């Protein structure tokens, strides 16, 4: 069986990389980070920027501030990012989970901020009558975040969200975020503001077409794809620095210790890629857990080794790599932590197969 990417898949990935390079390249990433820091204090506080109608006060502490660029969000919608798996008959692109993994990998490589996974899932899984669970999600007109089913009180991009996916039991509901009090908390990643939901989970006002199990599995896989993109980006940064930075009259990449670091980064990233791509094809629960574990490890360890290759420069605020490390830490705590994935893998290995 040939698992190489088809020409169409290569074109899809190349097109998404070109779009993100033009609209959210390194300079735009730095500007977004500086803008988030200039807002001051806890991520998520400040004055509301461009929003859809219905901007609200969160937590009783004044107008909330988000980091989602609504114009870019709509451009992603026009490019088919959110409607990638929506059937063509319903106005979507009509592709599958393997193709979604490719575009999310590119989003992770660019450190694109926003609740991409939740919005994509809200656009993909529709109600029994085929109606959108969240109108406008597929076109990028709505921003959707999600609560995780394990009762975790933290939710990302609450201030930007027009709707919230709420897994409850075996189903998934859609709730309005404004009806529940949420308090902003400091996040390690400056581009992923977090809020702590207070007073219980919001009541669903509509139904999403996916079951909770399917939604959580796909969310874990797409998050793993973002981690994969970040792992390859930090490998690229490390190799680029090793080729150009000179010490003792020659590039630092000529030293064996640096070569070993870069080689280890490549091994981790390629191993994670194989697992993520395989899980996208099979849709297997255990393989998804393995993919998330390997991708989380690759993203975090590669960012640390990239900092090591950069030496003292790697720790500075001006370097891009620290942003990858912070995002990797945050994604590692989302949609299947290492402990949860290991437990599910162990259970699958110990369960008798028929």
């Amino acid at each position: 069986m040939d698992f190489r990417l088809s020409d169409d898949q290569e074109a899809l990935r190349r097109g998404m990389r070109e779009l993100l390079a033009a609209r959210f390249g390194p300079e735009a990433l730095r500007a977004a980070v500086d803008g988030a820091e200039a807002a001051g204090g806890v991520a998520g506080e400040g004055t509301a920027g461009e929003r859809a109608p219905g901007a609200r006060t969160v937590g009783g502490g004044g107008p909330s501030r988000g980091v989602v660029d609504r114009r870019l969000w709509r451009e992603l919608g026009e490019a088919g990012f959110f409607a990638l798996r929506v059937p063509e008959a319903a106005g979507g692109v009509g592709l599958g989970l393997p193709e979604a993994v490719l575009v999310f990998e590119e989003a992770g490589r660019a450190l694109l901020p926003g609740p991409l996974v939740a919005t994509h899932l809200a656009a993909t899984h529709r109600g029994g009558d085929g109606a959108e669970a969240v109108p406008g999600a597929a076109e990028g007109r709505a921003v959707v975040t999600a609560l995780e089913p394990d009762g975790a009180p933290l939710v990302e991009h609450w201030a930007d969200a027009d709707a919230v996916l709420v897994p409850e039991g075996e189903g998934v509901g859609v709730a309005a975020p404004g009806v529940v009090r949420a308090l902003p908390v400091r996040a390690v990643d400056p581009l992923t503001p977090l809020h702590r939901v207070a007073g219980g989970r919001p009541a669903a006002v509509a139904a999403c077409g996916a079951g909770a199990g399917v939604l959580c599995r796909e969310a874990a896989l797409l998050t793993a794809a973002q981690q994969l993109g970040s792992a390859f980006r930090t490998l690229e940064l490390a190799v680029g620095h090793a080729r150009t930075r000179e010490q003792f009259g020659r590039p630092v990449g000529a030293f064996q210790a640096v070569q070993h670091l870069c080689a280890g980064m490549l091994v981790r990233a390629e191993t994670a890629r194989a697992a993520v791509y395989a899980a996208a094809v099979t849709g297997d629960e255990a393989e998804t857990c393995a993919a998330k574990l390997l991708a989380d490890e690759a993203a975090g360890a590669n960012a640390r080794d990239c900092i090591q290759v950069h030496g003292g420069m790697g720790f500075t605020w001006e370097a891009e790599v620290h942003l990858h490390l912070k995002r990797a830490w945050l994604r590692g705590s989302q949609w299947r932590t290492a402990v949860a994935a290991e437990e599910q893998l162990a259970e699958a290995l110990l369960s008798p197969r028929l």
Side-chain angles (χ1 to χ4, degrees), residues 80-306:
F81 188 98
F82 303 118
L84 195 70
R85 295 192 291 146
V86 175
E88 290 184 87
V93 184
L95 298 178
L97 194 55
E99 288 77 22
V101 160
L102 295 178
V103 298
F104 272 84
E105 182 181 344
E106 292 304 316
R109 181 182 182 274
L111 284 182
L112 185 64
L116 300 165
V117 171
T119 303
H120 175 88
L121 293 175
T124 300
H125 297 291
R126 303 188 168 208
D129 58 356
E132 292 181 273
V134 180
E139 298 84 5
R141 292 185 290 105
V143 176
V144 186
T145 189
L147 290 170
E148 296 190 37
D150 58 4
L154 295 182
V155 59
E156 65 174 359
H157 298 283
W158 182 273
D160 282 301
D162 301 304
V164 183
L165 298 181
V166 185
E168 289 287 357
E170 296 183 357
V172 180
V174 179
V179 300
V180 173
R181 187 166 179 260
L183 304 175
V185 298
R186 188 175 298 277
V188 65
D189 176 17
L191 291 182
T192 309
L194 298 174
H195 283 75
R196 184 181 302 278
V197 176
R201 296 163 78 84
V205 295
C208 180
V214 172
L215 182 134
C216 293
R217 183 178 70 247
E218 293 183 353
L221 181 61
L222 296 177
T223 302
Q226 291 178 288
Q227 294 279 60
L228 178 63
S230 180
F232 273 102
R233 174 58 178 163
T234 50
L235 169 63
E236 177 185 314
L237 291 171
V239 171
H241 183 78
R243 285 174 173 169
T244 57
R245 176 70 172 177
E246 293 190 359
Q247 287 290 345
F248 308 107
R250 54 179 175 165
V252 296
F255 298 103
Q256 192 175 56
V258 175
Q259 293 173 0
H260 284 178
L261 283 174
C262 292
M265 294 172 70
L266 177 62
V267 169
R268 280 191 294 265
E270 289 292 355
T271 302
R273 171 181 277 170
V276 171
Y277 286 9
V281 172
T282 65
D284 183 74
E285 183 74 26
E287 291 195 13
T288 299
C289 289
K292 182 64 162 57
L293 274 172
L294 289 169
D296 285 346
E297 170 63 20
N302 277 17
R304 291 193 298 269
D305 282 353
C306 184

Side-chain angles (χ1 to χ4, degrees), residues 32-58:
V33 171
D34 291 344
E37 288 299 309
V42 178
E45 294 179 335
T47 304
E50 182 189 358
R51 291 189 44 80
R56 62 194 168 277
T57 298
V58 178

Side-chain angles (χ1 to χ4, degrees), residues 23-77:
R23 289 291 286 109
F24 199 76
E27 292 184 0
L29 170 63
R30 175 57 57 188
V33 171
D34 291 344
E37 288 299 309
V42 178
E45 294 179 335
T47 304
E50 182 189 358
R51 291 189 44 80
R56 62 194 168 277
T57 298
V58 178
S64 60
R65 179 185 180 88
V67 301
V68 174
D69 181 343
R70 291 276 176 161
R71 188 173 295 107
L72 175 56
W73 207 256
R74 288 192 294 270
E75 288 185 29
L76 291 173

